[in-house]
């Protein structure tokens, strides 16, 4: 720890040698240090006076800067945290238990769309919204299956899988990556051809921070119709939410692949007197016109009681707004350089493989109503997700998964965090009988340190890491360890939940 601070001067000298001091370096004394640090720090839970801050923030302007930073950090034993969009649920891209620097990729956000070839190169520092925008700027019949939330960074999103409202049609963002440029532990830039096969496999779902710094990705664009249809309807318990959620579990994963229908569950006021109820909000995007969607819904899920005016046709790019809580008639310019919303919160994830009965749902509502602040979103799987083998990418939650649960709790800056983090932990505990078991699956991009973490020096034994690793990756964990041990045997790229490197 202390040694990294004493080498600080040597480290800066090292940085300035090869590239003539052109790497922007921000020290805690720099006037823009705080604004850069906080720029993509969405979770205010990690922005307190007791949160450890980086002793430097480096904001490379080109790939070669990233290479130099890796070489010099390794030489001087400095811990790097890589940040793209800063959305890590546990703040791992900008926090650490040990002295560290942030390598922030926000200047590397170029997006190069090739409409004829239906591909694009995207730098890791771009956001999901910028990718959507750049594609839509050139074509209204091409899109990409990335996040529902448009401020999410590409670097972390692609590294851990990345899902959105085209998941059932085109599966994950990572499933649509065809090449990448990564700076490895030796400071070399490797692409798909020059990197090990196992490494190209690992970086498409094995989680950020373990294998190197991916600077850019080549993605395969997907076809979208010029007109898509959305709807959003909400029902309270009095309006039959329980039966609808019960039915939803049976149909959502089996609907046509063109149809994505998620359900959000939150606690709301039932009466002006403050009596509470559960509100189930069904949000949907259909890759087709309203008439066709109406036929599908009447056939598969008539109980939802949709009326013709509920179906709203629009362009694919406009439909992006629905799931991001932006008014759907906004200008698409809002997707470029949108600042991240700030809040205090914690999230967790679960996978459900068996329909939860009505009686059990009622128990879940009761539990939610007790704590009031908790919410969940059920994200439907099935469709193309079933057609990809568990071992094809590190992301293993494929065939047999009915839906994912995103558990969340948000609170006000003035409240005591423990009250709410305890709530979500209680809820998670409560859900045990209803979700996947041995292992209880989790989504690596919904990072959750409750599942375990490395020791303070950033290392974990295989056995330790397997506890969270098998939840995130199931049987793919061993292969990730194997690749990691080969490409980064000294465990230079690490964080509190990274893949360990072991001697074989
Ligand atoms: P961040 O910069 O924090 O990086 C995350 C991790 O990856 C860190 O460990 C970091 O060091 C590492 N990393 C970053 N860049 C890297 C690079 N270039 N090379 C190697 N490692 C790198 N997910 C989803 O699938 N669909 C969704 O719709 C959403 N929505 C959503 C909304 C909100 C508000 C939040 C906070 C999060 C989500 N997520 C999500 C989860 C999201 O996918 C996850 O947090 C990603 O890791 C975020 O990527 P960033 O680049 O923004 O994060």
């Amino acid at each position: 720890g202390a040694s990294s601070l004493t080498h600080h001067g040597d480290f800066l000298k090292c940085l300035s040698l090869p590239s003539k001091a052109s790497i922007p370096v921000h020290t805690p004394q720099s006037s823009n240090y705080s604004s850069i640090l906080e720029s993509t720090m969405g979770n205010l839970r990690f922005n307190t006076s007791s949160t450890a801050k980086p002793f430097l923030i480096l904001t490379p302007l080109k790939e070669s800067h990233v290479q130099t930073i890796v070489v010099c950090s390794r030489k001087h034993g400095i811990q790097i945290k890589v940040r793209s969009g800063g959305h890590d649920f546990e703040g791992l891209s900008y926090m650490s238990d040990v002295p560290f620097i942030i390598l922030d990729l926000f200047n590397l956000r170029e997006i190069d769309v090739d409409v004829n070839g239906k591909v694009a190169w995207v730098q890791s520092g771009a956001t999901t919204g910028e990718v959507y925008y750049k594609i839509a700027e050139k074509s209204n019949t091409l899109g990409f299956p990335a996040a529902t939330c448009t401020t999410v960074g590409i670097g972390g999103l692609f590294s851990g899988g990345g899902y959105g409202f085209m998941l059932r049609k085109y599966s994950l963002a990572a499933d649509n990556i065809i090449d990448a440029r990564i700076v490895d532990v030796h400071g070399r830039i490797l692409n798909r051809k020059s990197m090990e096969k196992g490494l190209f496999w690992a970086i498409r779902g094995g989680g950020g921070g373990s294998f190197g710094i991916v600077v850019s990705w080549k993605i395969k664009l997907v076809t979208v119709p010029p007109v898509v249809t959305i709807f959003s309807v909400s029902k309270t318990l009095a309006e039959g939410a329980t039966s609808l959620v019960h039915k939803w579990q049976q149909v959502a994963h089996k609907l046509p692949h063109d149809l994505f229908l998620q359900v959000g569950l939150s606690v709301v006021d039932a009466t002006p007197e403050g009596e509470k109820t559960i509100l189930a909000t069904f949000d949907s995007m259909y890759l087709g016109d309203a008439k066709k969607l109406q036929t599908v819904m009447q056939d598969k899920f008539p109980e939802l009681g949709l009326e013709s005016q509920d179906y709203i046709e629009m362009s694919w790019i406009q439909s992006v707004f629905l799931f991001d809580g932006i008014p759907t008639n906004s200008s698409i310019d809002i997707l470029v350089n949108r600042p991240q919303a700030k809040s205090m919160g914690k999230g967790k994830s679960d996978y459900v493989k068996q329909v939860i009965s009505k009686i059990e749902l009622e128990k879940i509502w009761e539990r939610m109503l007790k704590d009031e602040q908790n919410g969940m979103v059920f994200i439907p799987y099935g469709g193309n997700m079933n057609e990809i083998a568990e071992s094809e990418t590190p992301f293993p939650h494929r065939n047999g998964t009915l839906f994912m649960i995103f558990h969340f709790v948000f609170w006000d800056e003035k409240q005591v965090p423990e009250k709410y983090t305890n709530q979500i932990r209680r809820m998670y505990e409560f859900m045990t009988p209803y979700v996947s078991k041995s292992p209880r699956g989790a989504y690596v991009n919904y990072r959750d340190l409750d599942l375990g973490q490395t020791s303070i020096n950033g290392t974990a034994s295989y056995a330790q890491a397997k506890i969270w690793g098998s939840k995130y990756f199931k049987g793919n964990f061993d292969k990730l360890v194997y690749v990691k041990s080969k490409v980064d045997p000294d465990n230079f790229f690490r964080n509190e939940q990274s893949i360990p490197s072991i001697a074989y």
Side-chain angles (χ1 to χ4, degrees), residues 308-458:
S308 354
Q309 70 268 18
D310 292 324
Y311 300 95
I312 306 164
E313 292 184 333
M314 57 182 60
S315 63
W316 176 80
I317 190 70
Q318 218 77 36
S319 78
V320 160
F321 295 159
L322 173 69
F323 295 94
D324 204 10
I326 305 171
T328 46
N329 58 0
S330 306
S331 153
I332 70 166
D333 298 338
I334 199 173
L335 297 174
V336 182
N337 269 320
R338 198 158 87 88
Q340 187 184 356
K342 311 261 176 193
S343 59
M344 298 256 180
K346 175 156 177 67
K348 286 173 161 297
S349 59
D350 259 317
Y351 286 95
V352 177
K353 300 181 145 196
Q354 272 172 337
V355 172
I356 305 171
S357 73
K358 278 193 214 175
I359 291 173
E360 291 164 338
L361 285 175
E362 275 161 6
K363 287 190 202 156
I364 294 170
W365 308 156
E366 207 180 296
R367 176 72 254 173
M368 283 176 76
L369 287 165
K370 252 186 217 152
D371 277 340
E372 290 189 9
Q373 292 282 332
N374 278 306
M376 292 191 234
V377 185
F378 291 179
I379 294 115
Y381 272 40
N384 202 49
M385 289 295 277
N386 288 355
E387 269 132 58
I388 297 172
E390 266 187 31
S391 59
E392 200 163 317
T393 73
F395 182 97
H397 313 292
R398 305 280 186 174
N399 198 4
T401 300
L402 304 185
F403 58 96
M404 178 174 84
I405 299 180
F406 167 40
H407 301 275
F408 63 83
V409 60
F410 292 111
W411 62 91
D412 208 273
E413 226 169 315
K414 291 181 270 314
Q415 324 287 154
V416 186
E418 284 70 29
K419 177 176 170 198
Y420 300 97
T421 50
N422 288 342
Q423 269 182 16
I424 192 171
R425 286 176 187 136
R426 271 202 299 275
M427 190 69 206
Y428 186 76
E429 182 61 33
F430 184 82
M431 291 298 287
T432 310
Y434 315 123
V435 298
S436 63
K437 295 167 186 61
S438 354
R440 180 171 182 173
Y443 176 31
V444 67
N445 266 355
Y446 284 177
R447 176 135 13 232
D448 180 4
L449 289 182
D450 294 350
L451 305 179
Q453 69 179 89
T454 57
S455 326
I456 203 127
N457 61 358

Side-chain angles (χ1 to χ4, degrees), residues 31 58 70 120 159 185 245 267 391 450:
S31 58
L58 306 178
V70 167
S159 294
V185 70
V245 174
V267 178
S391 59
D450 294 350

Side-chain angles (χ1 to χ4, degrees), residues 82 84-89 93 105 124 148 153 156-157 163 209 212 214 443 445:
V82 184
S84 289
H87 278 53
D88 193 287
F89 273 18
S93 54
L105 291 167
S124 286
T148 54
L157 182 76
Y163 83 88
V214 182
Y443 176 31
N445 266 355

Side-chain angles (χ1 to χ4, degrees), residues 108-112 120-127 131 154 158 215-219:
L108 299 179
R109 61 194 316 134
E110 232 164 82
I111 298 163
D112 186 8
W121 272 101
V122 179
Q123 284 190 308
S124 286
T127 64
V131 173
I154 293 303
F158 288 9
V215 280
S216 63
W217 313 78
K218 188 178 187 182
I219 58 175

Side-chain angles (χ1 to χ4, degrees), residues 7-71:
H7 287 314
H8 185 155
D10 295 341
F11 174 61
L12 287 177
K13 251 182 249 155
C14 176
L15 286 183
S16 63
L17 282 178
S19 45
K20 306 264 181 291
S22 57
I23 302 175
V25 175
H26 313 274
T27 71
Q29 286 72 44
S30 310
S31 58
N32 54 1
Y33 172 89
S34 297
S35 67
I36 293 178
L37 179 63
E38 289 165 14
S39 60
T40 57
M41 194 187 259
N43 200 331
L44 297 174
R45 178 155 66 105
F46 307 119
N47 194 13
T48 67
S49 49
S50 60
T51 312
K53 305 278 194 298
F55 62 89
L56 292 176
I57 304 174
L58 306 178
T59 54
L61 302 169
K62 44 191 183 189
E63 283 183 345
S64 63
H65 287 172
V66 179
Q67 295 176 274
T68 302
I69 294 166
V70 167
V71 169

